[in-house]
Amino acid sequence: MLTARTFSSPRHTTRYWEAGPSDGPLLIFLHGWPEIGLVWRAQAEAFAAEGWHCVAPDMRGYGGSSAPTASSAYALSEIVNDMAELHDHLGGRPAIWVGHDLGSPVAGALAAHHAKRSRGLVLVSVPYFPDGFALASLLPLVDRHLYPADQYPDGQWDYCRFYVSHFDQTVSDFDADIPATLAAIYRPGNPASKGQVYRSALISRNGGWFGQAHRAPTTAPDPALWPPADFDALVEAFRATGFRPGNAWYLNDAANVAYASAAPDGGRLRQPVLFVNGDLDGLCDIGGGSIGELMRGACPDLAVTHQPAGHWLPLERKTELTQAIRAWAKAKGLS
């Protein structure tokens, strides 16, 4: 059973979800866009039942945590500092950090800048980019066979460019119908999409995620992904904050690249690292192109496992993801 708690420092308030014995080995789950800590319910409850102390915070700008107005407040360094403060509050014992989507750059940066806080790292869906999660780092890795530069200059990362150039529109389009937006975003991977141009590459040419409608089509949520009560909590969280704080994470490329360049040892991660790949994920499938190369070079103790699913692995493969983390932790002597 997950219990909601709140921790406040002079600079930030974090709501987090907690389960398991407080003296158990610490496992911290970091969500991405557009999620809240409840996205990890299945994994946190499973590990808590095995004696782990599981914590899943609402990240900065999400759910019950602080949502500053300035876009610069969502630079990766600020978010890593949030997690360092939360980690101290939890006792500061070295933890296994698990990140999904934009939670992966947070987990990776924390492990790079604060190595003693991490005894192991699990990255789900988004690999580690030691030069920073920013367009400048991502574009050289685009598969130009699938995304010719003259047609798709930003490849599958076109949506990141659009967030910067049309920020207010991205927010208003998503906010126009929050339940429909979230239901439309959370869809399982489709085998027919394998090797095809991904929807995130078409945002600029379509004039936004939802084109000229500027709002999501009426869409029923998929109960196989989010349990209905948790989806309702997700909707209420976004009704409270809107999409502006979460989208502002994408507005800090220069600061994030500078932060990455300041990491010790060139950002190499000496801890054991597990990457869980979604083989139907058109955004970050490391099976195509060179998107996994930088991670492989920066993580000398790297294990990779694959799931036949799309981008939302904590929801699409609830049990399988738990099993993958459990097997890796046992093999590395971390459990």
Side-chain angles (χ1 to χ4, degrees):
M1 179 72 71
L2 293 180
T3 300
R5 305 194 189 282
T6 300
F7 162 70
S8 293
S9 75
R11 55 179 293 281
H12 182 68
T13 292
T14 295
R15 181 176 70 177
Y16 61 97
W17 305 88
E18 186 175 41
S22 60
D23 60 349
L26 187 57
L27 192 53
I28 303 178
F29 297 89
L30 307 183
H31 72 77
W33 180 96
E35 301 167 345
I36 54 176
L38 289 175
V39 73
W40 295 108
R41 177 185 291 280
Q43 294 79 28
E45 290 184 344
F47 279 105
E50 298 171 12
W52 294 76
H53 180 197
C54 296
V55 172
D58 289 347
M59 306 297 282
R60 173 177 287 233
Y62 290 91
S65 296
S66 299
T69 56
S71 295
S72 60
Y74 297 94
L76 196 56
S77 60
E78 295 289 342
I79 299 162
V80 168
N81 287 339
D82 296 343
M83 294 301 99
E85 289 183 342
L86 175 64
H87 186 229
D88 286 341
H89 168 70
L90 296 169
R93 289 177 295 128
I96 295 176
W97 298 78
V98 184
H100 175 247
D101 188 79
L102 287 186
S104 288
V106 179
L110 186 139
H113 286 267
H114 304 278
K116 292 182 179 180
R117 295 185 182 275
S118 172
R119 64 193 189 100
L121 194 64
V122 180
L123 307 178
V124 183
S125 301
V126 173
Y128 178 57
F129 301 101
D131 297 331
F133 183 88
L135 270 171
S137 304
L138 301 172
L139 294 186
L141 307 174
V142 171
D143 180 356
R144 289 304 178 189
H145 295 289
L146 182 58
Y147 298 107
D150 60 335
Q151 299 178 50
Y152 304 98
D154 297 310
Q156 71 268 41
W157 308 108
D158 173 77
Y159 78 101
C160 296
R161 181 81 67 190
F162 194 82
Y163 281 11
V164 174
S165 60
H166 296 78
F167 182 74
D168 288 340
Q169 182 196 327
T170 67
V171 172
S172 61
D173 286 4
F174 286 136
D175 283 351
D177 187 336
I178 284 173
T181 293
L182 292 167
I185 289 170
Y186 287 104
R187 311 313 292 180
N190 180 1
S193 69
K194 183 74 172 176
Q196 303 298 310
V197 170
Y198 192 56
R199 61 180 181 172
S200 64
L202 304 172
I203 307 307
S204 293
R205 69 174 62 183
N206 290 340
W209 278 101
F210 308 122
Q212 295 308 305
H214 295 299
R215 61 187 300 123
T218 300
T219 306
D222 186 339
L225 299 180
W226 284 96
D230 287 352
F231 185 79
D232 290 345
L234 178 72
V235 169
E236 289 308 308
F238 276 89
R239 281 183 169 146
T241 63
F243 273 80
R244 182 172 294 274
N247 286 15
W249 283 46
Y250 290 93
L251 301 183
N252 291 280
D253 275 14
N256 293 346
V257 168
Y259 184 53
S261 70
D265 196 19
R268 287 172 65 84
L269 304 183
R270 302 293 179 177
Q271 309 90 332
V273 178
L274 171 66
F275 180 68
V276 187
N277 188 71
D279 290 347
L280 306 179
D281 184 353
L283 190 66
C284 288
D285 175 13
I286 66 168
S290 55
I291 193 169
E293 286 184 1
L294 290 176
M295 175 178 64
R296 293 184 182 100
C299 304
D301 188 355
L302 174 67
V304 177
T305 187
H306 294 259
Q307 292 292 331
H311 188 68
W312 310 110
L313 284 174
L315 302 172
E316 290 186 60
R317 290 292 184 269
K318 297 178 178 68
T319 301
E320 295 85 350
L321 179 56
T322 300
Q323 291 170 340
I325 297 171
R326 181 189 295 120
W328 166 80
K330 182 177 181 181
K332 293 298 178 182
L334 299 172
S335 58

